[in-house]
Amino acid sequence: GENVEQHPSTLSVQEGDSAVIKCTYSDSASNYFPWYKQELGKGPQLIIDIRSNVGEKKDQRIAVTLNKTAKHFSLHITETQPEDSAVYFCAASMGTGFQKLVFGTGTRLLVSP
Amino acid sequence: EAGVAQSPRYKIIEKRQSVAFWCNPISGHATLYWYQQILGQGPKLLIQFQNNGVVDDSQLPKDRFSAERLKGVDSTLKIQPAKLEDSAVYLCASSFGVSQPQHFGDGTRLSIL
């Protein structure tokens, strides 16, 4: 079925360390993979996305990698800061025609000063 | 650019009552989505509109949930009658088109007593 698995569910790091969140998806036709950051009481905010014709994309301290063969994609945050603390969701497009996003279960990232 | 607007921010009702949520998408965005986010989970798509037509409502509990987007801009989501398991945050998102980045509002937090 349509499924996105996300790990870990919680991640604690020290300020300045790197953080990595991993997701796997089930639909081999998936071609769009966004990442969202959700702060308490707010809606998800798009932070970076990647399409299936690209293996890696970087935006300042944030990067995403995609391995289509393994149906696996990851979010990398370098030089973490306390304001990076939030819940992060991965998602994958699924279905044909009007594709929909299926979200992972989320990773709570805590960056300690 | 103004973001996705949702109201109300909070709603508390008793089971079996009805409730309605309103969403105003980003100007020019043809695609509008309603998601349900249960505490501790990722958003789950309920319904997707392309202009004023429904393109996916496969996960909408149609015996109690309804949604409309009459003029292809604003949208309302209604629950009647509400059940305890409907307690969640209802998020609206919009995108320029299908398979384009989705931008979320801050949601309506619904509590059922």
Side-chain angles (χ1 to χ4, degrees):
Chain A
E2 300 169 339
N3 187 45
V4 176
E5 294 188 1
Q6 183 171 348
H7 300 281
S9 57
T10 58
L11 180 59
S12 294
V13 300
Q14 291 293 121
E15 183 176 1
D17 288 349
S18 295
V20 180
I21 302 170
K22 300 181 179 181
C23 290
T24 59
Y25 58 97
S26 58
D27 187 352
S28 56
S30 297
N31 59 13
Y32 176 61
F33 308 90
W35 285 87
Y36 286 86
K37 175 184 181 182
Q38 188 172 29
E39 297 176 326
L40 196 62
K42 299 285 189 180
Q45 177 190 5
L46 180 68
I47 57 172
I48 195 167
D49 56 8
I50 192 169
R51 296 193 183 269
S52 59
N53 57 347
V54 175
E56 183 174 358
K57 184 176 179 181
K58 192 173 182 180
D59 182 4
Q60 299 182 343
R61 296 186 297 109
I62 294 174
V64 57
T65 59
L66 172 64
N67 182 330
K68 283 207 70 180
T69 303
K71 295 186 206 170
H72 172 274
F73 59 114
S74 300
L75 177 71
H76 304 253
I77 306 174
T78 59
E79 301 174 21
T80 54
Q81 302 167 2
E83 51 264 40
D84 294 329
S85 297
V87 179
Y88 291 80
F89 290 97
C90 63
S93 63
M94 295 198 183
T96 57
F98 290 97
Q99 290 190 319
K100 66 180 181 185
L101 287 182
V102 176
F103 283 78
T105 49
T107 296
R108 182 172 299 278
L109 174 65
L110 177 62
V111 181
S112 302
Chain B
E1 173 181 80
V4 175
Q6 290 189 247
S7 67
R9 287 299 317 277
Y10 306 93
K11 191 73 178 179
I12 301 173
I13 63 172
E14 295 185 347
K15 59 183 179 182
R16 292 187 290 273
Q17 287 187 325
S18 63
V19 64
F21 314 123
W22 174 82
C23 173
N24 182 236
I26 293 172
S27 178
H29 280 194
T31 315
L32 185 146
Y33 315 78
W34 283 103
Y35 288 86
Q36 180 191 59
Q37 186 175 26
I38 292 173
L39 187 65
Q41 299 182 17
K44 183 184 83 171
L45 180 69
L46 292 175
I47 189 167
Q48 177 179 344
F49 292 92
Q50 181 67 16
N51 295 308
N52 61 348
V54 175
V55 298
D56 188 339
D57 62 358
S58 57
Q59 298 189 94
L60 187 74
K62 299 180 187 63
D63 58 333
R64 299 184 299 106
F65 286 64
S66 64
E68 59 183 14
R69 193 185 185 198
L70 292 176
K71 296 184 179 179
V73 181
D74 293 8
S75 177
T76 56
L77 175 70
K78 297 179 182 178
I79 307 175
Q80 181 180 11
K83 290 186 174 181
L84 292 176
E85 61 258 36
D86 298 333
S87 293
V89 175
Y90 290 85
L91 295 163
C92 179
S94 70
S95 64
F96 187 73
V98 176
S99 296
Q100 295 297 310
Q102 297 183 24
H103 301 274
F104 284 80
D106 286 336
T108 297
R109 181 175 298 277
L110 175 65
S111 297
I112 312 293
L113 304 179

